[in-house]
Amino acid sequence: GQQLNQSPQSMFIQEGEDVSMNCTSSSIFNTWLWYKQDPGEGPVLLIALYKAGELTSNGRLTAQFGITRKDSFLNISASIPSDVGIYFCAGPEGSQGNLIFGKGTKLSVKP
Amino acid sequence: DAMVIQNPRYQVTQFGKPVTLSCSQTLNHNVMYWYQQKSSQAPKLLFHYYDKDFNNEADTPDNFQSRRPNTSFCFLDIRSPGLGDAAMYLCATSRSRASNSPLHFGNGTRLTVT
């Protein structure tokens, strides 16, 4: 099946720094989704991308749907302590469109 | 207000003792999913219901079953939990299976097997 390769695995940054993470696939996706998961909670949808080349913002978060449809990136500007968590990219796979996830990027923010 | 509600938040069961996890939704979504998430891993789809139509993933063990008695509720039954089944179980819903219909997750049930 399709796989999503997410990098980096983890990041340790200082409060106020910008963050960038990305997700790649060997096959084409029609949708890219970015979720954030806090410890002990379920994933929460941050941004949904539906069109190649699309650039979408949600507050300090910006995500882009790569033009090749095989990648996406998520940027966080001016990070704050509550940005701590695991960020997952996800996309629908196969004829039924079941969502598959990347392995996540664990973000730690030092105040 | 929470729209996908999972109960309980924490469940402890004994090895081999059947356990049921529940999920309810107020979104009136057609599709309900169950994911298993082990520590430091991505969520993995076990199965989903599209309305009343049950769709099992090929690699989901027979030990895992599901029921959806109505639109709002869906249950995950683990017939004989093993130590390897300890995980966070996430329920999610979506309006349809179309790629532009994102999933909405509950807060999960963390299962411990002793």
Side-chain angles (χ1 to χ4, degrees), chain B residues 1 6 15 22 31 42 52 62 64-65 78-80 107 112:
Chain B
D1 290 335
Q6 291 188 243
F15 183 95
S22 76
V31 195
K52 296 179 182 179
D62 292 341
F64 292 88
Q65 303 286 321
I78 308 176
R79 293 194 295 192
S80 181
N107 276 331
T112 300

Side-chain angles (χ1 to χ4, degrees), chain A residues 31 35 37 40-41 96 99 102, chain B residues 9 35 37 42 55 99 103 107:
Chain A
T31 298
Y35 285 86
Q37 187 173 27
E41 307 288 329
Q96 293 187 337
L99 209 60
Chain B
R9 288 296 306 273
Y35 281 82
Q37 186 179 27
N55 298 270
S99 60
L103 271 62
N107 276 331

Side-chain angles (χ1 to χ4, degrees), chain A residues 30-31 33 35 37 39-45 48-50 86 88 92-93 95-104 106, chain B residues 9-10 33 35 37 40-45 48 53 55 57 88 90 97-108 110:
Chain A
N30 292 319
T31 298
L33 305 171
Y35 285 86
Q37 187 173 27
E41 307 288 329
V44 174
L45 182 65
L49 302 162
Y50 300 115
I86 302 178
F88 290 100
E93 171 191 49
S95 59
Q96 293 187 337
N98 294 326
L99 209 60
I100 61 169
F101 287 81
K103 292 188 176 180
K106 185 175 182 180
Chain B
R9 288 296 306 273
Y10 302 93
Y33 305 80
Y35 281 82
Q37 186 179 27
S40 301
Q41 295 185 21
K44 180 179 180 300
L45 182 64
H48 76 275
D53 182 29
N55 298 270
E57 291 299 294
M88 174 80 94
L90 295 164
R97 289 189 297 200
S99 60
N100 63 351
S101 185
L103 271 62
H104 299 264
F105 284 87
N107 276 331
R110 181 164 295 284

Side-chain angles (χ1 to χ4, degrees), chain B residues 2-78:
Chain B
M3 294 174 286
V4 181
I5 302 161
Q6 291 188 243
N7 284 303
R9 288 296 306 273
Y10 302 93
Q11 175 74 56
V12 180
T13 190
Q14 291 178 332
F15 183 95
K17 186 174 180 182
V19 66
T20 294
L21 311 181
S22 76
C23 178
S24 64
Q25 55 137 338
T26 60
L27 297 164
N28 203 34
H29 281 174
N30 289 320
V31 195
M32 294 186 78
Y33 305 80
W34 280 104
Y35 281 82
Q36 179 192 64
Q37 186 179 27
K38 296 192 175 179
S39 182
S40 301
Q41 295 185 21
K44 180 179 180 300
L45 182 64
L46 294 174
F47 27 58
H48 76 275
Y49 271 96
Y50 180 66
D51 196 11
K52 296 179 182 179
D53 182 29
F54 177 70
N55 298 270
N56 200 26
E57 291 299 294
D59 57 354
T60 298
D62 292 341
N63 197 24
F64 292 88
Q65 303 286 321
S66 186
R67 296 170 283 134
R68 189 179 186 186
N70 53 54
T71 300
S72 301
F73 284 87
C74 195
F75 300 99
L76 169 63
D77 300 309
I78 308 176

